[in-house]
Amino acid sequence: MIPIIVPPLPRANPHARNLPWHTAFGWLQSGWMDFWTKPIASFLYGFGVFAVSILVVWALFLFRYEYALFPALAGFVVIGPLIANGLYEKSRRIETGEPIGIATMVFIRPRSGYQALFMGVMMLGLFLLWLRSAVLIYALFFGIVPFPGTSELLPMLFLTPTGWALLATGSVIGALFAGFAFAISVFAVPMLLEEKTDALSAMGISMTMVWNNLPVMLVWGAIVVALFVFSIATGFFGLVIAFPVLGHASWHAYSCMRPSDRQIGESERMFIPPV
């Protein structure tokens, strides 16, 4: 007798939170409240990011690397979560009732130790790969020619069919880079701060959580992009407020998505089994 084939019983997805899409706005509100809890520390942190951004743009024009300006702006999404570590620490301390100060936000000791540094190196490598890809895309459309300068580049990009094709192709490829970087880092960086895990497992778990909670994470990603575009439109001055708020809100996103997992995080690995 051929046995009857019974379909497997459905299993609950351990990483699906089934959160409504508007939960992302609750994270943003919580980030805003954290910003105004001892706001001087968050304000100074945001002003530091603003100052460094202005310095980087000034250096690009000074050393005639202005062709890397647009890729560098897009690549800010890649390294942004790494820069926000101090904001995660402030929100964590607010959550646990620990004292808060600018020193505690700058001199951080992640529970994962050197694994946080390892992830930073990998994210910087991804950022450099995107910069090189942007140069190759430019060469494919305009050829291997000297950079014409910003005054001539803008009409080339926005007033010619070749420029439109370059913008479309670069936007698609840049969105893929940004989406991948967002998925592997949005939860991995705060995870390495609070949990004792390895960088590869943190990135894998982060991507899994994003994939299994797409509606709310797509809205959250759109909020991040919108506030970043607003900051650029204000000459980066918007970063003074927007960046700290997004950093604090990202911690609340992590806390919301791993409410119970955080207690067993040290035993959860995707690539390296726990000792």
Side-chain angles (χ1 to χ4, degrees):
M1 296 290 293
I2 299 177
I4 300 175
I5 299 177
V6 180
L9 295 175
R11 294 187 302 173
N13 189 336
H15 294 289
R17 298 294 177 259
N18 301 315
L19 299 173
W21 61 269
H22 53 78
T23 304
F25 292 98
W27 299 338
L28 189 65
Q29 183 179 7
S30 298
W32 178 255
M33 294 173 64
D34 281 2
F35 178 86
W36 290 108
T37 301
K38 295 194 174 180
I40 298 300
S42 295
F43 179 81
L44 290 177
Y45 204 99
F47 186 81
V49 174
F50 160 73
V52 171
S53 300
I54 293 295
L55 181 63
V56 169
V57 173
W58 173 78
L60 288 176
F61 281 93
L62 178 65
F63 295 103
R64 303 188 63 82
Y65 287 113
E66 60 266 34
Y67 61 85
L69 176 61
F70 291 115
L73 293 177
F76 189 87
V77 180
V78 177
I79 61 175
L82 299 174
I83 306 173
N85 244 327
L87 301 168
Y88 303 151
E89 175 66 11
K90 178 186 172 182
S91 290
R92 187 193 70 80
R93 286 174 172 267
I94 293 175
E95 193 177 85
T96 58
E98 300 178 48
I100 303 167
I102 189 65
T104 60
M105 297 172 62
V106 175
F107 303 102
I108 307 170
R109 298 183 62 182
R111 288 202 65 196
S112 296
Y114 72 93
Q115 290 292 328
L117 178 62
F118 178 48
M119 180 174 177
V121 172
M122 288 191 290
M123 295 302 292
L124 287 175
L126 182 63
F127 175 65
L128 294 176
L129 179 62
W130 159 238
L131 289 179
R132 181 52 55 187
S133 300
V135 173
L136 292 176
I137 294 170
Y138 175 83
L140 287 174
F141 282 91
F142 289 105
I144 305 177
V145 295
F147 183 69
T150 307
S151 58
E152 297 183 24
L153 177 64
L154 294 179
M156 287 171 55
L157 288 178
F158 295 102
L159 300 178
T160 64
T162 304
W164 299 336
L166 170 62
L167 288 174
T169 304
S171 297
V172 171
I173 297 177
L176 291 176
F177 270 94
F180 177 73
F182 174 79
I184 65 175
S185 63
V186 62
F187 298 123
V189 178
M191 197 181 304
L192 292 171
L193 175 66
E194 189 186 40
E195 304 175 23
K196 191 174 183 181
T197 184
D198 61 276
L200 292 178
S201 292
M203 290 189 291
I205 294 170
S206 178
M207 178 170 283
T208 301
M209 293 170 64
V210 170
W211 179 254
N212 287 282
N213 299 275
L214 269 182
V216 66
M217 294 312 300
L218 287 175
V219 174
W220 179 239
I223 291 174
V224 172
V225 172
L227 288 180
F228 180 63
V229 171
F230 165 77
S231 299
I232 295 177
T234 59
F236 296 101
F237 191 76
L239 288 173
V240 177
I241 303 296
F243 190 82
V245 171
L246 285 175
H248 293 313
S250 295
W251 173 264
H252 287 282
Y254 160 75
S255 300
C256 180
M257 298 293 278
R258 283 178 71 81
S260 59
D261 301 20
R262 294 158 66 190
Q263 307 303 322
I264 60 172
E266 296 184 12
S267 63
E268 184 180 14
R269 299 289 188 275
M270 296 190 71
F271 298 96
I272 301 176
V275 178

